[in-house]
Amino acid sequence: MRVVVVGAGPAGMAAARTAADAGAEVTVVDSEPEAGGQYLRGRARLRHPGVTHLKNTEAWLVEDRTLHLRGPRQLPFDALVIATGAYDRPLPFPGWDGPGVITAGAAQTLAKQGVVLGRRVIVSGTGPFLLPVAAALQDLGATLVGVYEANSPAGWLREGKAVAANRHKITELARYRKVVRHLRTRTAVIAKHGDRVTVAKLDDQWRPVGHRTEHADLVCTGHGFLPRTDLVPEAERTHDFLNVDARQRTSVPGVYAAGEVTGIGGADLAEAEGVVAGAAAAGREPPRAALEAVRRGRLFAEALGRVHAVRPGWRTWLTRETTVCRCEQVQLADLGDATTMRELKLTSRVAMGRCQGRICARNAAELTGVPFDGQRRVVAVPIPLGELADLTEETS
Amino acid sequence: MNPDVVVVGAGIIGAACAQALRARGLDVLVLDRHGPASGTSASGEGNVLVSDKGPGPELDLARASRELWPQLAGDAEWEEKGGLVVATTGDAAEPLTAFADGQRAAGVDARAITVDEALSLEPHLNPDITAAVHYPQDAQLNPVKATRNLLRGIPVRRAEVSTTDGRSVTTDDGVVSCGAVVNATGPWAGRFGVNVLPRRGVVLVTTPIPGAIRHKVYDADYVGAVASGDADLQTSGVVESTKAGTVLIGSSRQRKGFDEKIESKVLKALARRAIALFPMLAGVPVMRAYGGFRPYAPDHLPIIGEDPRTPGLWHATGHEGAGVGLAPATGLLLAQLLTGETPLVDPHPFRVDRQEVPV
Amino acid sequence: MKVTFNGLPREVSHVAELLPGRFFCGIGVCFGCVAEINGVPEVRACRHPLRDGDRIRTTS
């Protein structure tokens, strides 16, 4: 049984270990130099009997039962586990495409390498993930001007069941006490010009109801997450997150998914999903404890999705000249009146540049009312033509 | 009020038919299950070519269309970039120049040039080419914008058509009565009684390298692939830039129904062909691949005319990979036949009741 | 690290310091940081561990 796992974060590592323990021959493919993913970057180790770890390796195509890697190189598999995670969704506002604006995830990644790109820093967006980012920046000596949560945490009061099943999540938050005094809710950065940052108080749909100016040289932004699903463009999904059954199976035969690529619920849920996927991929019954952890974690994930959803009022933050697509310099006024995603792309060039819509497509769809079609990118990462020309003829 | 004509399909062909009919004072309604240019029209490179057609009825249609496009394209990024066709082997040189001689006799501006001249037109071209022909008339446009321009002022409704009797269409949103129906559903036209099948094509898109490639450049094998109906994978090298500086690389042809899967063997074959034309492309990354379905008839000629079995039902389909280039003359020809005007080209070769077309 | 950025010598500890307004997602998704590094085009600079002597050129 050959199991290939893409991604070496909490979900991928758990899937790999579980599948190997079940007797499968496991290969983990990961684009980073060390295991751990974004969450455990630099703090994890993936050494396990039966697991081969391919570092610094990007996968670009799943073709039947073969995974194509950069190189070129091909890995045949009997089961594939997609554990590629998710990345911050940035919402556009005037100035978001200029200097001094990065995603919260980028700030976190840099902080783990001891780098802060500003002295006076704002973290703005929605979700509990903003707090560890703010704490990491503060630990490195940055002045925290504010941590702005666009939603109201009062939403959690309606989520008693999810909270009761995940009490440890609340204790985790206590770790970030020292940044909580900078936390302002129903608040967001809605413009940045130089170091002048417009901070707005929002209504419950995120429409600004008043604003003030703060001075900051770095704004870190993250309005939820978008999954990295490029390897399985045809898989069924909900809001772009992969649909999975109780065995973590996707709609594509032989392909499983685990972790944030199926929904946002934190590292412990990702790990539990990894255990379930790893067992199922190796042809074993998943351990009951992991299935129970997934059930509990999903309660939390669903509550998180409700309380920290992106509200439509963000669309009023833009002016006609605000950049929507950074790669192709497409402004709000350029989007026009298309009715399908393809028409929108080919008339405005939104999502047609290097990022291939990974950053902007969802936002462009919501700004125009065009149905978001999940972005069918066939080549998951850019691959030089010379490498394509060198592909061996027979796959698996 | 019921329309005079219902056009089924809002691709480039349906849009051109609707535009020409409306220009004759007819009240036109366009129906499409997804919206303007959501199928084949948006899956190609927006080619308006005369270079790939030998003397015959399709070339006549292409030349007529080439005359019409500049007035119709509007803001659809019309660019008279010119085509450069090259032979990459010694054996291919003579057939290419002979093909160009025939085209020249039929009125095409086909200029046989030296390898040095080809290299001055395209500095990154492989200097090992054996022959080259320059076609200044070849052009390109943005097919989605062009479709929208043609449809300006014409109602387009989202609906899926299940059947038609030539006097009405039955949709998932009720029945629409009308005077005539135009089947412009491209590769899906077979459901209305004509033998049109999909032929898969894949295009690679590179990261931007602005200015590096100036013309539409292709190897002479393209000509043979268009004319063939073989199911197996056929590829030829077709390379050109977009205004944004990305490079589009085609072309592949496969008969595999509506299977959308992208195969690595197709990507590989396209990459090899492109590098054979422009060696420097080996280092340029592909950031996207996309595919589409070309509608083809058994004899590889468009089908334009009234269906003798179902009076009132007209077909405009089967343009294979040339729909964008042939659209204006197709729309005009169909509108002229439908209103009883003198047609701009001989319609006989495109008639519906030719061998193997009616099903 | 002593590097050459668009032809000029610079001393930085991280590639992000060279790419204000282009370093954005930090994990290779947004392609905002694409640059030519040591002659290799289209490198996502955020994924490149900077070394002494690196030559970085932004191309767009």
Side-chain angles (χ1 to χ4, degrees):
Chain A
M1 194 71 184
R2 293 163 303 182
V3 174
V4 172
V5 179
V6 188
M13 289 196 297
R17 292 184 183 123
T18 309
D21 289 345
E25 181 192 320
V26 179
T27 307
V28 178
V29 177
D30 190 67
S31 58
E32 297 297 314
E34 294 300 332
Q38 303 310 323
Y39 181 71
L40 293 170
R41 181 184 285 256
R43 293 183 288 143
R45 197 170 265 185
L46 179 54
R47 252 192 232 140
H48 197 84
V51 176
T52 306
H53 181 192
L54 302 181
K55 301 170 180 178
N56 294 313
T57 305
E58 288 190 298
W60 63 273
L61 179 73
V62 176
E63 184 173 32
D64 300 321
R65 299 277 166 142
T66 299
L67 181 70
H68 289 269
L69 309 178
R70 286 287 317 273
R73 178 171 172 187
Q74 282 131 22
L75 272 185
F77 61 80
D78 300 299
L80 177 71
V81 181
I82 305 283
T84 40
Y87 56 97
D88 297 85
R89 174 178 178 188
L91 295 180
F93 52 78
W96 77 294
D97 53 329
V101 183
I102 62 177
T103 68
Q108 177 88 317
T109 301
L110 284 176
K112 283 175 181 169
Q113 300 167 69
V115 177
V116 191
L117 289 183
R119 279 184 295 275
R120 292 177 55 80
V121 176
I122 289 173
V123 180
S124 181
T126 188
F129 175 64
L130 301 178
L131 298 175
V133 174
L137 295 171
Q138 200 179 44
D139 286 349
L140 287 170
T143 301
L144 208 51
V145 176
V147 182
Y148 304 137
E149 162 63 59
N151 279 302
S152 166
W156 282 106
L157 298 175
R158 291 190 295 273
E159 304 289 353
K161 201 174 149 196
V163 172
N166 294 275
R167 290 191 186 285
H168 60 288
K169 295 276 189 193
I170 311 300
T171 18
E172 270 172 36
L173 289 181
R175 251 191 269 160
Y176 307 117
R177 235 167 319 182
K178 59 180 178 173
V179 296
V180 167
R181 66 190 181 88
H182 297 284
L183 179 67
R184 301 290 176 272
T185 60
R186 291 265 175 89
T187 304
V189 168
I190 61 162
K192 180 174 184 290
H193 299 286
D195 73 342
R196 285 182 23 254
V197 178
T198 307
V199 177
K201 200 72 189 164
L202 307 176
D203 69 9
D204 62 352
Q205 292 305 307
W206 293 15
R207 284 177 297 246
V209 291
H211 60 82
R212 62 175 196 278
T213 301
E214 296 280 4
H215 291 268
D217 49 9
L218 181 66
V219 172
C220 309
T221 160
H223 302 85
F225 296 88
L226 299 167
R228 300 181 80 166
T229 61
D230 303 294
L231 283 173
V232 280
E234 73 280 27
E236 285 170 18
R237 54 194 72 205
T238 305
H239 302 306
D240 216 27
F241 290 94
L242 298 179
N243 293 352
V244 289
D245 67 7
R247 296 276 183 281
Q248 302 296 131
R249 276 184 296 224
T250 70
S251 65
V252 182
V255 179
Y256 299 73
E260 311 273 51
V261 76
T262 72
I264 303 302
D268 45 357
L269 173 59
E271 191 174 334
E273 288 191 7
V275 170
V276 173
R284 295 292 173 86
E285 195 61 26
R288 195 173 295 172
L291 290 169
E292 172 55 22
V294 169
R295 190 196 64 79
R296 265 200 325 259
R298 293 251 171 92
L299 284 177
F300 176 77
E302 285 159 18
L304 187 70
R306 284 188 291 268
V307 177
H308 294 284
V310 171
R311 318 284 171 187
W314 69 267
R315 295 177 295 185
T316 65
W317 304 350
L318 288 78
T319 68
R320 288 176 53 75
E321 292 77 33
T322 303
T323 300
V324 176
C325 165
R326 293 161 53 103
C327 304
E328 292 292 312
Q329 295 291 306
V330 180
Q331 301 178 349
L332 178 62
D334 301 327
L335 293 183
D337 60 351
T339 57
T340 64
M341 200 73 211
R342 194 183 249 183
E343 194 184 351
L344 176 63
K345 286 159 73 172
L346 285 164
T347 51
S348 71
R349 293 206 58 77
V350 78
M352 295 285 276
R354 283 189 176 87
C355 97
Q356 288 291 294
R358 288 173 178 90
I359 297 296
C360 62
R362 179 79 175 272
N363 293 336
E366 288 184 17
L367 286 165
T368 54
V370 166
F372 179 61
D373 71 358
Q375 294 292 299
R376 300 170 56 86
R377 286 177 288 266
V378 176
V379 181
V381 294
I383 175 164
L385 277 158
E387 219 174 288
L388 286 179
D390 286 345
L391 288 172
T392 53
E393 200 54 71
E394 285 308 311
T395 57
S396 63
Chain B
M1 204 182 77
N2 290 324
D4 298 322
V5 183
V6 168
V7 176
V8 186
I12 194 85
I13 296 292
C17 292
Q19 190 275 340
L21 290 163
R22 186 168 183 268
R24 277 152 187 77
L26 294 171
D27 188 23
V28 182
L29 172 66
V30 179
L31 302 178
D32 193 284
R33 55 182 170 169
H34 296 307
S38 55
T40 305
S41 304
S43 305
E45 303 103 318
N47 282 326
V48 180
L49 304 185
V50 293
S51 58
D52 61 338
K53 294 167 189 73
E58 197 181 357
L59 179 61
D60 298 341
L61 202 62
R63 291 181 60 215
S65 266
R66 176 63 182 79
E67 296 283 306
L68 293 166
W69 258 130
Q71 293 94 57
L72 294 171
D75 66 352
E77 301 163 24
W78 174 257
E79 192 185 356
E80 303 189 356
K81 58 163 59 171
L84 183 63
V85 184
V86 301
T88 55
T89 62
D91 289 349
E94 200 279 323
L96 171 62
T97 48
F99 187 70
D101 290 343
Q103 291 173 310
R104 204 157 36 244
V108 173
D109 187 359
R111 304 174 189 177
I113 58 175
T114 64
V115 172
D116 282 346
E117 286 168 328
L119 284 167
S120 71
L121 290 176
E122 288 292 345
H124 295 287
L125 193 63
N126 187 343
D128 294 337
I129 59 165
T130 53
V133 181
H134 181 213
Y135 294 86
Q137 291 164 313
D138 279 357
Q140 189 182 27
L141 49 68
N142 176 323
V144 177
K145 287 188 177 177
T147 303
R148 288 165 53 106
N149 288 344
L150 292 169
L151 289 171
R152 194 159 290 153
I154 298 171
V156 180
R157 197 188 296 164
R158 200 77 73 87
E160 174 133 27
V161 175
S162 53
T163 59
T164 175
D165 59 3
R167 297 284 177 257
S168 70
V169 291
T170 305
T171 78
D172 53 1
D173 190 31
V175 175
V176 184
S177 293
C178 53
V181 177
V182 179
N183 168 25
T185 57
W188 296 275
R191 66 169 69 174
F192 302 105
V194 281
N195 187 6
V196 171
L197 290 169
R199 204 170 182 200
R200 178 77 170 153
V202 171
V203 175
L204 309 183
V205 187
T206 71
T207 52
I209 45 169
I213 292 168
R214 303 163 187 177
H215 301 75
K216 180 187 182 73
V217 181
Y218 59 93
D219 66 48
D221 302 343
Y222 185 92
V223 177
V226 174
S228 163
D230 190 3
D232 290 330
L233 170 64
Q234 298 166 347
T235 55
S236 56
V238 183
V239 178
E240 66 192 300
S241 289
T242 65
K243 287 225 162 132
T246 58
V247 178
L248 305 181
I249 294 165
S251 88
S252 66
R253 289 167 189 268
Q254 274 174 298
R255 290 198 297 186
K256 47 184 243 173
F258 286 105
D259 179 1
E260 293 199 327
K261 209 175 285 170
I262 301 256
E263 298 162 285
S264 58
K265 68 172 183 185
V266 178
L267 306 183
K268 171 186 172 166
L270 291 175
R272 292 199 156 184
R273 292 282 195 170
I275 293 167
L277 289 173
F278 291 96
M280 62 91 174
L281 285 176
V284 177
V286 171
M287 60 177 183
R288 173 172 74 241
Y290 64 90
F293 299 99
R294 309 176 182 90
Y296 79 97
D299 55 7
H300 299 279
L301 272 183
I303 302 164
I304 306 164
E306 190 172 22
D307 194 321
R309 302 161 298 175
T310 314
L313 172 60
W314 295 70
H315 300 285
T317 180
H319 294 76
E320 192 130 17
V324 172
L326 300 175
T330 296
L332 185 54
L333 176 60
L334 181 124
Q336 287 168 333
L337 294 172
L338 199 143
T339 56
E341 288 174 38
T342 309
L344 81 165
V345 295
D346 177 10
H348 191 73
F350 308 115
R351 71 193 185 281
V352 178
D353 61 350
R354 52 189 211 255
Q355 204 179 6
E356 287 184 60
V357 168
V359 285
Chain C
M1 248 82 61
K2 290 189 169 75
V3 301
T4 307
F5 181 68
N6 287 339
L8 297 172
R10 295 283 297 270
E11 187 153 1
V12 290
S13 60
H14 195 280
V15 73
E17 296 161 38
L18 295 169
L19 304 164
R22 297 164 57 92
F23 188 94
F24 186 60
C25 83
I27 56 169
V29 172
C30 78
F31 291 77
C33 61
V34 161
E36 184 186 296
I37 300 185
N38 302 328
V40 180
E42 298 284 332
V43 177
R44 282 163 280 170
C46 76
R47 297 171 36 79
H48 173 80
L50 213 54
R51 279 180 286 264
D52 270 319
D54 278 345
R55 287 165 291 113
I56 299 147
R57 183 168 287 279
T58 52
T59 46
S60 60

PDB file of all heavy atoms in Angstrom, chain C residues 3-21:
ATOM      1  N   VAL C   3      23.922  41.359   0.228  1.00  0.00           N
ATOM      2  CA  VAL C   3      23.355  40.900  -1.038  1.00  0.00           C
ATOM      3  C   VAL C   3      23.363  42.044  -2.040  1.00  0.00           C
ATOM      4  O   VAL C   3      23.667  43.189  -1.685  1.00  0.00           O
ATOM      5  CB  VAL C   3      21.892  40.397  -0.862  1.00  0.00           C
ATOM      6  CG1 VAL C   3      21.834  39.258   0.139  1.00  0.00           C
ATOM      7  CG2 VAL C   3      20.978  41.529  -0.438  1.00  0.00           C
ATOM      8  N   THR C   4      23.079  41.732  -3.297  1.00  0.00           N
ATOM      9  CA  THR C   4      22.929  42.759  -4.315  1.00  0.00           C
ATOM     10  C   THR C   4      21.468  42.815  -4.716  1.00  0.00           C
ATOM     11  O   THR C   4      20.884  41.798  -5.124  1.00  0.00           O
ATOM     12  CB  THR C   4      23.794  42.424  -5.544  1.00  0.00           C
ATOM     13  OG1 THR C   4      25.139  42.204  -5.103  1.00  0.00           O
ATOM     14  CG2 THR C   4      23.770  43.565  -6.552  1.00  0.00           C
ATOM     15  N   PHE C   5      20.848  43.982  -4.553  1.00  0.00           N
ATOM     16  CA  PHE C   5      19.423  44.128  -4.852  1.00  0.00           C
ATOM     17  C   PHE C   5      19.265  45.134  -5.977  1.00  0.00           C
ATOM     18  O   PHE C   5      19.635  46.304  -5.829  1.00  0.00           O
ATOM     19  CB  PHE C   5      18.667  44.576  -3.606  1.00  0.00           C
ATOM     20  CG  PHE C   5      17.182  44.715  -3.831  1.00  0.00           C
ATOM     21  CD1 PHE C   5      16.384  43.597  -4.081  1.00  0.00           C
ATOM     22  CD2 PHE C   5      16.576  45.965  -3.802  1.00  0.00           C
ATOM     23  CE1 PHE C   5      15.023  43.735  -4.286  1.00  0.00           C
ATOM     24  CE2 PHE C   5      15.215  46.103  -4.015  1.00  0.00           C
ATOM     25  CZ  PHE C   5      14.435  44.986  -4.252  1.00  0.00           C
ATOM     26  N   ASN C   6      18.751  44.672  -7.099  1.00  0.00           N
ATOM     27  CA  ASN C   6      18.616  45.519  -8.289  1.00  0.00           C
ATOM     28  C   ASN C   6      19.913  46.280  -8.582  1.00  0.00           C
ATOM     29  O   ASN C   6      19.907  47.479  -8.838  1.00  0.00           O
ATOM     30  CB  ASN C   6      17.428  46.479  -8.147  1.00  0.00           C
ATOM     31  CG  ASN C   6      16.101  45.745  -8.297  1.00  0.00           C
ATOM     32  OD1 ASN C   6      16.046  44.652  -8.865  1.00  0.00           O
ATOM     33  ND2 ASN C   6      15.040  46.321  -7.783  1.00  0.00           N
ATOM     34  N   GLY C   7      21.025  45.550  -8.482  1.00  0.00           N
ATOM     35  CA  GLY C   7      22.313  46.095  -8.868  1.00  0.00           C
ATOM     36  C   GLY C   7      23.058  46.837  -7.777  1.00  0.00           C
ATOM     37  O   GLY C   7      24.219  47.197  -7.966  1.00  0.00           O
ATOM     38  N   LEU C   8      22.424  47.080  -6.639  1.00  0.00           N
ATOM     39  CA  LEU C   8      23.068  47.854  -5.583  1.00  0.00           C
ATOM     40  C   LEU C   8      23.319  46.988  -4.343  1.00  0.00           C
ATOM     41  O   LEU C   8      22.494  46.129  -4.021  1.00  0.00           O
ATOM     42  CB  LEU C   8      22.201  49.056  -5.192  1.00  0.00           C
ATOM     43  CG  LEU C   8      21.968  50.076  -6.317  1.00  0.00           C
ATOM     44  CD1 LEU C   8      20.952  51.124  -5.882  1.00  0.00           C
ATOM     45  CD2 LEU C   8      23.283  50.734  -6.717  1.00  0.00           C
ATOM     46  N   PRO C   9      24.452  47.219  -3.666  1.00  0.00           N
ATOM     47  CA  PRO C   9      24.738  46.415  -2.475  1.00  0.00           C
ATOM     48  C   PRO C   9      23.792  46.771  -1.322  1.00  0.00           C
ATOM     49  O   PRO C   9      23.502  47.939  -1.092  1.00  0.00           O
ATOM     50  CB  PRO C   9      26.181  46.787  -2.138  1.00  0.00           C
ATOM     51  CG  PRO C   9      26.395  48.123  -2.753  1.00  0.00           C
ATOM     52  CD  PRO C   9      25.504  48.209  -3.952  1.00  0.00           C
ATOM     53  N   ARG C  10      23.281  45.747  -0.637  1.00  0.00           N
ATOM     54  CA  ARG C  10      22.410  45.989   0.517  1.00  0.00           C
ATOM     55  C   ARG C  10      22.784  44.995   1.605  1.00  0.00           C
ATOM     56  O   ARG C  10      23.269  43.903   1.320  1.00  0.00           O
ATOM     57  CB  ARG C  10      20.941  45.764   0.137  1.00  0.00           C
ATOM     58  CG  ARG C  10      20.384  46.735  -0.893  1.00  0.00           C
ATOM     59  CD  ARG C  10      20.064  48.087  -0.287  1.00  0.00           C
ATOM     60  NE  ARG C  10      19.012  47.992   0.731  1.00  0.00           N
ATOM     61  CZ  ARG C  10      17.720  48.110   0.473  1.00  0.00           C
ATOM     62  NH1 ARG C  10      17.316  48.312  -0.771  1.00  0.00           N
ATOM     63  NH2 ARG C  10      16.841  48.040   1.447  1.00  0.00           N
ATOM     64  N   GLU C  11      22.525  45.404   2.852  1.00  0.00           N
ATOM     65  CA  GLU C  11      22.754  44.478   3.953  1.00  0.00           C
ATOM     66  C   GLU C  11      21.444  44.308   4.715  1.00  0.00           C
ATOM     67  O   GLU C  11      20.904  45.268   5.262  1.00  0.00           O
ATOM     68  CB  GLU C  11      23.863  44.989   4.883  1.00  0.00           C
ATOM     69  CG  GLU C  11      24.211  43.951   5.925  1.00  0.00           C
ATOM     70  CD  GLU C  11      25.647  44.070   6.428  1.00  0.00           C
ATOM     71  OE1 GLU C  11      26.351  44.990   5.969  1.00  0.00           O
ATOM     72  OE2 GLU C  11      26.028  43.257   7.284  1.00  0.00           O
ATOM     73  N   VAL C  12      20.888  43.095   4.683  1.00  0.00           N
ATOM     74  CA  VAL C  12      19.589  42.831   5.312  1.00  0.00           C
ATOM     75  C   VAL C  12      19.640  41.491   6.015  1.00  0.00           C
ATOM     76  O   VAL C  12      20.500  40.657   5.741  1.00  0.00           O
ATOM     77  CB  VAL C  12      18.445  42.793   4.264  1.00  0.00           C
ATOM     78  CG1 VAL C  12      18.180  44.172   3.692  1.00  0.00           C
ATOM     79  CG2 VAL C  12      18.732  41.789   3.166  1.00  0.00           C
ATOM     80  N   SER C  13      18.690  41.275   6.935  1.00  0.00           N
ATOM     81  CA  SER C  13      18.650  39.970   7.604  1.00  0.00           C
ATOM     82  C   SER C  13      17.600  39.070   6.968  1.00  0.00           C
ATOM     83  O   SER C  13      17.623  37.862   7.143  1.00  0.00           O
ATOM     84  CB  SER C  13      18.369  40.146   9.092  1.00  0.00           C
ATOM     85  OG  SER C  13      17.124  40.781   9.272  1.00  0.00           O
ATOM     86  N   HIS C  14      16.644  39.677   6.225  1.00  0.00           N
ATOM     87  CA  HIS C  14      15.586  38.852   5.616  1.00  0.00           C
ATOM     88  C   HIS C  14      15.155  39.480   4.298  1.00  0.00           C
ATOM     89  O   HIS C  14      15.138  40.705   4.151  1.00  0.00           O
ATOM     90  CB  HIS C  14      14.391  38.755   6.557  1.00  0.00           C
ATOM     91  CG  HIS C  14      13.432  37.656   6.171  1.00  0.00           C
ATOM     92  ND1 HIS C  14      12.503  37.806   5.178  1.00  0.00           N
ATOM     93  CD2 HIS C  14      13.285  36.396   6.651  1.00  0.00           C
ATOM     94  CE1 HIS C  14      11.815  36.678   5.058  1.00  0.00           C
ATOM     95  NE2 HIS C  14      12.270  35.802   5.937  1.00  0.00           N
ATOM     96  N   VAL C  15      14.799  38.638   3.355  1.00  0.00           N
ATOM     97  CA  VAL C  15      14.416  39.112   2.031  1.00  0.00           C
ATOM     98  C   VAL C  15      13.203  40.054   2.099  1.00  0.00           C
ATOM     99  O   VAL C  15      13.051  40.958   1.271  1.00  0.00           O
ATOM    100  CB  VAL C  15      14.157  37.910   1.085  1.00  0.00           C
ATOM    101  CG1 VAL C  15      12.853  37.209   1.435  1.00  0.00           C
ATOM    102  CG2 VAL C  15      14.168  38.328  -0.363  1.00  0.00           C
ATOM    103  N   ALA C  16      12.373  39.889   3.127  1.00  0.00           N
ATOM    104  CA  ALA C  16      11.183  40.742   3.253  1.00  0.00           C
ATOM    105  C   ALA C  16      11.555  42.219   3.358  1.00  0.00           C
ATOM    106  O   ALA C  16      10.793  43.089   2.940  1.00  0.00           O
ATOM    107  CB  ALA C  16      10.369  40.323   4.476  1.00  0.00           C
ATOM    108  N   GLU C  17      12.722  42.499   3.907  1.00  0.00           N
ATOM    109  CA  GLU C  17      13.134  43.897   4.064  1.00  0.00           C
ATOM    110  C   GLU C  17      13.431  44.555   2.726  1.00  0.00           C
ATOM    111  O   GLU C  17      13.460  45.775   2.612  1.00  0.00           O
ATOM    112  CB  GLU C  17      14.370  43.968   4.974  1.00  0.00           C
ATOM    113  CG  GLU C  17      14.080  43.491   6.387  1.00  0.00           C
ATOM    114  CD  GLU C  17      15.357  43.129   7.134  1.00  0.00           C
ATOM    115  OE1 GLU C  17      16.364  43.829   6.962  1.00  0.00           O
ATOM    116  OE2 GLU C  17      15.326  42.122   7.869  1.00  0.00           O
ATOM    117  N   LEU C  18      13.663  43.733   1.701  1.00  0.00           N
ATOM    118  CA  LEU C  18      13.969  44.284   0.377  1.00  0.00           C
ATOM    119  C   LEU C  18      12.707  44.523  -0.445  1.00  0.00           C
ATOM    120  O   LEU C  18      12.738  45.222  -1.443  1.00  0.00           O
ATOM    121  CB  LEU C  18      14.855  43.300  -0.400  1.00  0.00           C
ATOM    122  CG  LEU C  18      16.238  43.058   0.167  1.00  0.00           C
ATOM    123  CD1 LEU C  18      16.872  41.868  -0.541  1.00  0.00           C
ATOM    124  CD2 LEU C  18      17.095  44.296   0.016  1.00  0.00           C
ATOM    125  N   LEU C  19      11.621  43.944  -0.040  1.00  0.00           N
ATOM    126  CA  LEU C  19      10.442  43.906  -0.910  1.00  0.00           C
ATOM    127  C   LEU C  19       9.222  44.541  -0.259  1.00  0.00           C
ATOM    128  O   LEU C  19       8.175  43.919  -0.133  1.00  0.00           O
ATOM    129  CB  LEU C  19      10.113  42.447  -1.277  1.00  0.00           C
ATOM    130  CG  LEU C  19      11.233  41.651  -1.940  1.00  0.00           C
ATOM    131  CD1 LEU C  19      10.938  40.166  -1.883  1.00  0.00           C
ATOM    132  CD2 LEU C  19      11.403  42.087  -3.385  1.00  0.00           C
ATOM    133  N   PRO C  20       9.308  45.802   0.175  1.00  0.00           N
ATOM    134  CA  PRO C  20       8.140  46.404   0.803  1.00  0.00           C
ATOM    135  C   PRO C  20       7.003  46.502  -0.212  1.00  0.00           C
ATOM    136  O   PRO C  20       7.205  46.886  -1.348  1.00  0.00           O
ATOM    137  CB  PRO C  20       8.625  47.792   1.213  1.00  0.00           C
ATOM    138  CG  PRO C  20       9.775  48.078   0.317  1.00  0.00           C
ATOM    139  CD  PRO C  20      10.403  46.763  -0.003  1.00  0.00           C
ATOM    140  N   GLY C  21       5.822  46.105   0.191  1.00  0.00           N
ATOM    141  CA  GLY C  21       4.678  46.172  -0.706  1.00  0.00           C
ATOM    142  C   GLY C  21       4.596  44.992  -1.643  1.00  0.00           C
ATOM    143  O   GLY C  21       3.648  44.853  -2.388  1.00  0.00           O
TER     144      GLY C  21
END
